[in-house]
Amino acid sequence: MKVKIILGTAREGRKSEGVARYLVKKAGALGWEAELIDVRDYLLAYTHRWKVTPEMEVYRNKILEADAILIVAPEYNGSYPGELKILLDTIYDEYEGLPLGIATVSSVTGGVRLLMELRTAAVNYRMLPVGQVLFYNVDDLFDGEELKDEKYKERVERLFRTLEKYAKALRPIREEVRDKLREKTEGV
């Protein structure tokens, strides 16, 4: 299993980074190949999919090798961060058939509105949102890099099991889409 964990905020002092790193570590412990994709590495000023920059091509290739995606982000003004929106919008067809997990991170409320907005966007990209973990009161949940709360550990494990189940089920769709993208690229 190859999972790409997208850290969806570039904000200084971001609490989401600790959660994302924990999830990468947890996926690795399950024997998965996990890679962190940090929006800070792709701070783009536009989303013009037909004018591909080298950064966009790197991101595209990472998504094309993924079996699943897990987005980690805080809620910004009732939605998800703008830099995450720009990154997601740089590609489109490459997302089809990818199961998506969402981890919201909050010092207080949990990010329910972020979850709703991101699930709707994911369906538009033809990803399948299959699970989520809402990290409420994130400052109280971690001791350094370790998750303290057993309920959250169970939620994270359930999310990874669900991602794996759907990644296996959706593999034929991803393979078909990727074959068509290769044909299109090679035919140019």
Side-chain angles (χ1 to χ4, degrees), residues 7 11 23 59 73 77 81 86 90 104 126 131 146 158 187:
L7 176 51
R11 182 180 279 177
L23 294 170
Y59 175 71
N77 300 317
I86 292 171
T90 61
T104 68
R126 296 185 307 224
E146 288 305 312
R158 184 172 47 246

Side-chain angles (χ1 to χ4, degrees), residues 163-181:
L163 281 170
E164 184 175 32
K165 177 174 62 176
Y166 280 93
K168 288 177 181 176
L170 295 171
R171 182 170 283 128
I173 294 171
R174 286 192 310 280
E175 289 174 356
E176 178 185 329
V177 167
R178 291 169 183 178
D179 286 345
K180 286 180 182 177
L181 288 170

Side-chain angles (χ1 to χ4, degrees), residues 14-157:
R14 57 195 179 170
K15 305 288 183 176
S16 303
E17 185 172 0
V19 174
R21 293 194 184 286
Y22 169 79
L23 294 170
V24 168
K25 184 176 158 186
K26 181 65 180 171
L30 293 171
W32 292 20
E33 188 178 316
E35 180 180 7
L36 181 65
I37 297 175
D38 189 336
V39 294
R40 282 187 181 169
D41 298 331
Y42 302 91
L43 292 177
L44 306 167
Y46 60 90
T47 60
H48 199 297
R49 290 193 303 262
W50 299 274
K51 190 184 268 186
V52 178
T53 66
E55 297 90 350
M56 291 165 66
E57 190 62 28
V58 168
Y59 175 71
R60 178 183 184 272
N61 288 330
K62 289 177 185 292
I63 296 304
L64 283 172
E65 67 184 27
D67 294 310
I69 294 177
L70 177 51
I71 295 176
V72 181
E75 185 174 302
Y76 283 10
N77 300 317
S79 189
Y80 51 96
E83 58 265 27
L84 176 59
K85 173 70 169 148
I86 292 171
L87 179 66
L88 292 173
D89 281 351
T90 61
I91 59 177
Y92 183 77
D93 293 326
E94 293 82 353
Y95 295 122
E96 187 172 353
L98 279 168
L100 172 68
I102 301 169
T104 68
V105 180
S106 172
S107 295
V108 182
T109 63
V112 173
R113 294 178 299 175
L114 151 77
L115 178 63
M116 292 185 308
E117 293 287 327
L118 196 49
R119 287 175 63 88
T120 300
V123 170
N124 185 58
Y125 295 123
R126 296 185 307 224
M127 287 189 270
L128 181 62
V130 298
Q132 64 276 330
V133 177
L134 283 67
F135 287 92
Y136 293 89
N137 300 313
V138 71
D139 293 325
D140 298 332
L141 294 176
F142 285 87
D143 182 13
E145 293 185 9
E146 288 305 312
L147 187 55
K148 296 187 299 189
D149 190 315
E150 288 300 318
K151 289 182 215 165
Y152 275 89
K153 288 180 182 179
E154 292 171 16
R155 292 172 190 164
V156 167
E157 288 175 18

